[in-house]
Amino acid sequence: MKRFVKHLLIAALFANPAARAQVPDPPAPAQPAPAKPAASPSGGESKFLGKDVPVFNPGTELATWDGHSWNINNNRLFEARFEKYLNAPEETTQQDKQYQAILRTILDKLAPEQLSMRSIDEAFRLLPRASGFEIDARLCDGLADAIYSAWRAQDASARLAQATVALEQERKQNEWNAKVAADSGKLEGAPSGKNKEAGAQWAKEQQLRRDVTMQPYATRLAEILATIKTNQVKKELSELQTKIEFQALLVQLFLQRRFQHVIIGTRFYRAVFRGDTKLEVGKDTKDIFAKSTGLPPTVGTMDALANEAIRDVREGVQAFEFLLKKNELESASKRLAEAFSIGEYMPEIRTLPRTDKRQALEFSQKSYQLVSAIEVKDYGLAEKLVKELTTIAKDFDTSKPLAAVETARTVSAMHLAKARNAAVSGDKATLEAELKEATEMWPRNPALAEVSGLIFSQADVQGKALNDLDQLISQHNYRQIYDDKLRFIAASAMYPDRQEQLKKVLDQMQIIETAIIQAGEIEKRGDYAGAWETLEKVFKQYPDDSKLNQLRATLTTEAADFVRTLRTAEQLEHADQVGSSLACFLKAQKIYPGSEFAQDGVNRLVKKVLPES
């Protein structure tokens, strides 16, 4: 059950309805329509993490949330973070070791068997030291602030309790004084009973004297009672508010997958707030734990889940290292991706050697390239990639990609056979239709050239197409050639030199089209700088394509700050102003951390300044 909750929460963390998987995932099995939830008092149905609790299926690696399904290992957001991690160096420096040593020391001092006021104070003093390391991201400062606020609140509660005791004593004294004042009236000096009017006047005067005497005591007594009630409310609210703030920080750390900090926080929480550890945060947040585990949502629940996540990450890393030795890269890459998605900041993940991670990166990149090749129906390249993947990973499953290649080959061959028959019978309409179907099925099919020549059996039509092809090539109007490629493929079928020219043009346009598609997907995520840089790489090779230029101009406007900073850095570099150029490249890298242009510029200038490095 804990494993299920762990995967569920990690899937929810990586969920991004705007980021779709690269390839369509199989639809989730049909489920009975759930009862429509009652409308919230505010009239909306929005909740903390969507309209329902996210569900992860470990068998299919599909996460279902808000009516959407996706593969968590085939998600562009996850892919980008995973590739960045695989290219990062291992964190085994002296600083990294010192940081982990401090965290272990804090955990040891907060262990139940060693817990004391002295160990709590010593652990608290170590938090600012841990916060000074870059990887900590000042999270230990946040924990220290929450603990300090809790202690301050407890001090305030103690002072309120002392004030209440003092007020209670004063209340008793005022009650006694009021009672004494009420009984102070005596019968001495009362007129005789025969004089009724004098007796009534005397009694009235006595009552007035008692009222005047008791009035200060009664007023002060009311004030004391009101103050006692106010202090009780303040004490309860102060403690509850501090608990809620502390618990909210623990939930945030849990969702950030900072499980070491979660355990440190829960141990401090138990030491500071003895007794009730029930979560007092929002209902939707509590439902994530309650509905998934079936247990009351408590600080202990988070502690147990964090410990289970840590154990699972260690097991995943061990499995990755074992599978890597066995040359089973497909399974190894999956196990590493699962461990990374759960415990991205765990030391077992951060200390993996980059050489080992690069092997997984090579497999992942070729896998993504295989997916792209099948998407654009380049089955020749797909078949080549399948062979390469089989070579580097003996456990690679070739059934699905080879099935796609063989299906395309068979269907394309059927259409080409029909085209041959139509050419023999003189049915030009059928010939063109079947040739078009074969081209759409497999545009780069080598067998396509053999049959396509039949569509231009008449010399004048074929000659006109060849003349148009030569003219467009001389004009560098490759976009028009690409848009009318079916016609030119058929026309050049009998001319190897023209076929070679056309192949170069189509290969170039395929690169441009692939870059445009990639830039469009990146732009959908709002990453305009990344989309511009994707196009800029291709633009430097092929600056004449109109569609590429138009999209590049649009993205230049969207990413104006990044482009302007990068251009300034390049100009300063050409002017041999190394310091200013390096500053601009670093500024561009800050705007867009994934920029290869900025990184290349920094590397060039560093080598120029420090050639020996």
Side-chain angles (χ1 to χ4, degrees), residues 162-175:
Q162 293 175 359
T164 301
V165 171
L167 289 170
E168 187 67 24
Q169 293 176 351
E170 187 177 355
R171 179 189 64 80
K172 292 178 181 179
Q173 184 65 38
N174 272 273
E175 287 180 348

Side-chain angles (χ1 to χ4, degrees), residues 206-402:
Q206 291 296 318
Q207 182 63 39
L208 181 60
R209 288 176 57 193
R210 283 197 297 271
D211 290 345
V212 171
T213 304
M214 290 180 60
Q215 181 64 36
Y217 300 118
T219 302
R220 180 57 183 161
L221 184 60
E223 292 174 352
I224 292 171
L225 290 174
T227 305
I228 290 173
K229 291 295 182 182
T230 302
N231 287 348
Q232 290 174 349
V233 172
K234 285 182 178 179
K235 179 181 177 182
E236 294 173 359
L237 287 178
S238 176
E239 184 174 354
L240 179 61
Q241 181 65 27
T242 308
K243 279 187 175 182
I244 291 175
E245 291 177 357
F246 207 133
Q247 292 175 2
L249 177 61
L250 293 178
V251 172
Q252 176 187 338
L253 293 173
F254 186 86
L255 294 179
Q256 288 176 318
R257 297 164 295 150
R258 294 280 190 165
F259 299 117
Q260 290 175 298
H261 293 78
V262 171
I263 296 174
I264 291 173
T266 56
R267 291 184 179 180
F268 266 118
Y269 185 93
R270 291 191 182 97
V272 175
F273 301 105
R274 295 180 176 86
D276 185 21
T277 61
K278 182 179 179 182
L279 288 182
E280 301 293 344
V281 291
K283 179 179 181 301
D284 296 324
T285 307
K286 290 192 288 186
D287 286 347
I288 296 177
F289 298 96
K291 293 182 180 180
S292 303
T293 63
L295 301 173
T298 63
V299 171
T301 303
M302 277 195 293
D303 186 282
L305 291 176
N307 277 298
E308 172 63 14
I310 292 173
R311 185 207 63 79
D312 195 75
V313 169
R314 290 171 180 163
E315 188 178 77
V317 171
Q318 292 171 0
F320 165 75
E321 293 172 337
F322 175 77
L323 292 168
L324 196 63
K325 293 178 182 178
K326 296 293 184 181
N327 199 29
E328 298 178 7
L329 270 178
E330 182 174 20
S331 297
S333 299
K334 288 181 179 179
R335 299 296 80 78
L336 181 59
E338 291 169 359
F340 173 78
S341 67
I342 297 168
E344 179 179 353
Y345 303 102
M346 290 296 299
E348 290 79 8
I349 292 291
R350 310 307 299 185
T351 56
L352 273 177
R354 180 155 57 178
T355 53
D356 292 348
K357 295 188 292 184
R358 289 284 299 180
Q359 295 184 55
L361 175 63
E362 181 185 4
F363 177 83
S364 299
Q365 287 177 334
K366 288 187 180 297
S367 299
Y368 298 143
Q369 190 178 3
L370 175 60
V371 172
S372 299
I374 293 177
E375 279 186 344
V376 299
K377 300 181 180 180
D378 191 351
Y379 296 108
L381 176 60
E383 193 170 19
K384 176 185 175 184
L385 289 170
V386 168
K387 293 179 181 178
E388 292 178 0
L389 287 168
T390 305
T391 302
I392 65 175
K394 66 180 184 180
D395 63 331
F396 176 65
D397 184 8
T398 62
S399 56
K400 290 183 179 180
L402 286 184

